[in-house]
Amino acid sequence: MTAALATPVRRLRPLILINLAALLSATGNGITIVALPWLVLQQTGRATDAAIVAGAAALPLLLSSLFSGTVVDRFGRRITSLVSDSFSAISVAAIPIMAATLGLSVPLLAVLAAIGAVFDPAGIAARESMLPAATRESGWSLDRVNSTYEASFNVAYLIGPGVGGVLIGFLGAVNTLWVTAACFALSIGTVLLLKLDGTGTPDRETRPASMWTGTVEGLKFVWQSRLLRTIALVDMAIVALYMPVESVLFPAYFTKLDRPTQLGWVVMAMSVGGIIGALAYGALAARFQRRTMMLVAVSGLSVCMVGMAFLPSLWVILTLGVLIGLVFGPVGPIANYAMQSRSPEHMRGRVVGVMTSSAYAAGPLGYLVAGPLIDSVGIQATFFGLAIPLVLVAAVCFGLPALRELDR
């Protein structure tokens, strides 16, 4: 009996370690989502400054995420994940060190945020590229593996912002960042334990000739795939309109109310719904069309954002947050499925990197528009300015024929 149980556990070990590493790394980022804007707003009280720091963290991601997949395919998945988390840990730990020595300013925080974020896409692409091999090892279906992996991310953004909000209240925003550095260090330790075929240095014949040619190959592959191209463009629109809600609007709103813990609760509510939605995808994929779930996700997100724009009571915001996570939870697994099922093994890192960069390309635009808008017209008007275009994006999705390829 013991030997029979040991075999399934051994087969699941790579999948468990990949999910744990993703959980720890994303938890660190989840804490930062709350702590860094709070730190900036405490110092200056200006939403524009918080948006500048958020934009500084997002802007380098456009270039780094574009090349991140080529890094993975050129140097290997395991080493890329380790190096990515190492740089993230160092950059985050530098903030409390600088606070205790030289002092902090908005430009310095922007630089450190940029350094910390620039290596994240490579780590994400590396871990996502490992999933098909872990799928074969585990004996699970690809839908089930993607469902579990995306749920791990949502668990991280449940733990991270909640812990971050509580720790800010007890330790302050600066000292809270030490916990972030510890999360990245634990992720490094987890990946060091991982042994899985295809995660080492790629064969010379399959490696991209250079960073530039490898990235161009990835861009061509994604653009020539009608499905991947459509998903990338839809994702860009959603990120530009939705991400400022978590990173700028709600931090500004709850800072004005002086309630950091409630900010953590709202982000946690979204993550709770996301966990349920992502886990449910593994079962729903066998019963419903992926296109149908994608349309429900985008439509549900837009309706909930319109509701949030009215800035209702906390309990209504929390309910809408859960609904956002619930309907949008399957989107990550669906996008992963599309990338994994349409990319050859030796190009998987590049495909993931290009698809990720499309989302990061929209981030800086959303942040840098939302901050000045809040300062000029207020939080509620800015909220409506983002929510209404998202309703239009949802309407357009119903007429996109490429999404039908999700079920072919």
Side-chain angles (χ1 to χ4, degrees):
M1 178 67 72
T2 302
L5 289 173
T7 300
V9 171
R10 186 164 58 249
R11 293 177 62 185
L12 287 172
R13 178 183 170 88
L15 185 58
I16 293 171
L17 290 174
I18 293 170
N19 276 275
L20 181 58
L23 173 67
L24 290 165
S25 183
T27 297
N29 286 325
I31 296 172
T32 307
I33 283 177
V34 176
L36 203 54
W38 196 270
L39 177 60
V40 175
L41 289 165
Q42 271 188 330
Q43 290 201 333
T44 70
R46 297 178 68 238
T48 299
D49 290 336
I52 288 172
V53 174
L59 189 59
L61 296 178
L62 172 58
L63 189 62
S64 68
S65 61
L66 187 60
F67 287 93
S68 64
T70 306
V71 172
V72 173
D73 288 342
R74 188 174 174 84
F75 297 103
R77 296 162 185 172
R78 188 167 181 267
I79 188 63
T80 301
S81 178
L82 293 171
V83 172
S84 170
D85 282 339
S86 297
F87 277 109
S88 295
I90 292 169
S91 62
V92 170
I95 295 177
I97 292 174
M98 290 291 185
T101 54
L102 302 177
L104 295 175
S105 64
V106 171
L108 178 59
L109 286 171
V111 170
L112 292 175
I115 294 173
V118 74
F119 301 102
D120 283 343
I124 293 171
R127 288 185 288 271
E128 288 190 7
S129 298
M130 297 177 191
L131 289 177
T135 300
R136 293 189 292 269
E137 184 78 13
S138 68
W140 286 13
S141 70
L142 194 55
D143 280 323
R144 186 180 180 188
V145 167
N146 285 323
S147 173
T148 305
Y149 183 77
E150 292 300 323
S152 297
F153 263 99
N154 282 290
V155 168
Y157 285 100
L158 168 65
I159 296 172
V163 169
V166 172
L167 289 178
I168 288 172
F170 284 99
L171 303 177
V174 171
N175 289 329
T176 296
L177 292 172
W178 283 116
V179 180
T180 301
C183 289
F184 288 122
L186 291 172
S187 178
I188 292 168
T190 301
V191 174
L192 286 172
L193 299 174
L194 178 64
K195 295 180 180 179
L196 185 65
D197 290 341
T199 60
T201 304
D203 295 333
R204 184 178 297 274
E205 310 84 62
T206 61
R207 269 185 265 168
S210 68
M211 293 296 294
W212 176 252
T213 58
T215 302
V216 170
E217 289 169 356
L219 283 167
K220 286 182 178 178
F221 186 90
V222 171
W223 188 255
Q224 290 169 0
S225 168
R226 187 171 70 160
L227 175 60
L228 295 180
R229 182 176 70 242
T230 299
I231 291 176
L233 293 174
V234 170
D235 200 26
M236 286 178 67
I238 292 173
V239 168
L241 297 170
Y242 174 70
M243 288 307 294
V245 173
E246 290 188 18
S247 299
V248 182
L249 268 75
F250 274 140
Y253 179 61
F254 287 108
T255 298
K256 186 177 180 180
L257 299 177
D258 194 24
R259 293 173 180 173
T261 305
Q262 290 187 4
L263 172 60
W265 290 352
V266 171
V267 181
M268 283 173 63
M270 297 176 187
S271 298
V272 168
I275 294 168
I276 299 171
L279 288 175
Y281 169 76
L284 294 174
R287 301 182 180 184
F288 298 96
Q289 291 186 333
R290 295 184 183 89
R291 175 180 177 271
T292 300
M293 289 187 281
M294 186 78 173
L295 294 177
V296 169
V298 181
S299 301
L301 175 64
S302 63
V303 171
C304 290
M305 267 194 64
V306 170
M308 283 182 169
F310 287 96
L311 298 178
S313 66
L314 176 63
W315 291 109
V316 175
I317 292 176
L318 291 173
T319 301
L320 292 172
V322 172
L323 288 174
I324 283 177
L326 189 63
V327 298
F328 209 71
V331 171
I334 290 172
N336 287 347
Y337 173 85
M339 290 185 285
Q340 294 157 359
S341 62
R342 282 165 172 74
S343 61
E345 179 71 23
H346 69 281
M347 285 191 67
R348 186 156 296 126
R350 277 166 281 179
V351 171
V352 172
V354 170
M355 293 289 286
T356 303
S357 71
S358 67
Y360 285 130
L365 176 62
Y367 294 142
L368 296 177
V369 169
L373 273 178
I374 291 173
D375 289 332
S376 60
V377 301
I379 295 172
Q380 190 171 58
T382 302
F383 226 132
F384 277 110
L386 298 175
I388 293 173
L390 191 56
V391 174
L392 299 178
V393 171
V396 169
C397 285
F398 279 85
L400 296 175
L403 294 181
R404 299 185 185 280
E405 296 180 22
L406 286 169
D407 301 295
R408 294 175 185 171

